[in-house]
Amino acid sequence: MGSLRKFGVKTSTRELFGDHKTLLDYYYKLREGDLEEPGIGMVLRDLLNENNITLSDDNLHSALRSMYSVTQTNWFLEDDAIPTLQVLLKSNYHLGIISNSSDDLNTYELLEKAKLRSYFEFILSSAAFGKTESRIQAFSTPHSIIFKFLPIKQ
């Protein structure tokens, strides 16, 4: 909520997220039980709209970036990750990522932070999958439809 408050949102956490402590808690509960996975930006926008709170797209984006700047500090690269990726590439494997991330930009930021982006030919996140106009209809990754969009022959 701190990142929203700096943009003038005065609604309490309880009013906005109900029994959930954070946006992420609310989001993870929302996506339980089915394979639909809306982007977290859309979920936050819907919550704000339901509470008659107006926030520009730029401010919404800034609030999400602020939230992820905190959560990203909890992600660490395993010591053997880069050596393993190097071995796979030297063995002529084609590597890609299918992520069930709730925020496409966050996926890329984590890969850049860990210096992993160059190892992958493609990155497909469920948050970005199926974008249409201002709404995202995405799927969590085991939904088979996401695999139809891989840029490789299956």
Side-chain angles (χ1 to χ4, degrees), residues 97-98 122 124 145-154:
I97 293 175
I98 299 176
F122 70 89
L124 181 60
I145 197 167
I146 203 167
F147 296 99
K148 293 180 181 179
F149 291 88
L150 295 177
I152 57 172
K153 292 183 180 181
Q154 299 179 25

Side-chain angles (χ1 to χ4, degrees), residues 24 64 66-75 106 110 113:
L24 288 174
L64 288 172
S66 178
M67 178 189 72
Y68 279 119
S69 71
V70 173
T71 63
Q72 287 177 2
T73 62
N74 297 304
W75 289 85
N106 187 52
L110 287 168
K113 178 182 168 188

Side-chain angles (χ1 to χ4, degrees), residues 22 27 41 81 84 99 111 133 141:
T22 67
Y27 175 80
T84 300
S99 168
L111 289 168
E133 294 159 12
T141 51

Side-chain angles (χ1 to χ4, degrees), residues 1-41:
M1 282 299 295
S3 57
L4 291 172
R5 282 198 178 89
K6 72 179 181 181
F7 297 111
V9 175
K10 300 197 184 327
T11 303
S12 73
T13 301
R14 186 152 185 77
E15 289 173 312
L16 198 57
F17 306 134
D19 292 333
H20 308 283
K21 293 179 182 178
T22 67
L23 174 60
L24 288 174
D25 289 339
Y26 177 86
Y27 175 80
Y28 289 126
K29 185 66 176 173
L30 178 69
R31 71 181 201 174
E32 281 181 5
D34 63 31
L35 294 175
E36 290 188 17
E37 184 166 326
I40 201 161

Side-chain angles (χ1 to χ4, degrees), residues 69-125:
S69 71
V70 173
T71 63
Q72 287 177 2
T73 62
N74 297 304
W75 289 85
F76 300 96
L77 188 63
E78 296 291 332
D79 292 338
D80 61 348
I82 290 178
T84 300
L85 292 168
Q86 290 171 337
V87 166
L88 291 170
L89 287 175
K90 285 180 185 174
S91 299
N92 293 318
Y93 282 88
H94 297 272
L95 305 177
I97 293 175
I98 299 176
S99 168
N100 68 344
S101 171
S102 61
D103 184 276
D104 192 48
L105 183 57
N106 187 52
T107 302
Y108 283 91
E109 287 173 346
L110 287 168
L111 289 168
E112 291 297 331
K113 178 182 168 188
K115 298 182 178 23
L116 294 176
R117 177 63 187 97
S118 64
Y119 292 96
F120 301 100
E121 293 178 26
F122 70 89
I123 298 167
L124 181 60
S125 78

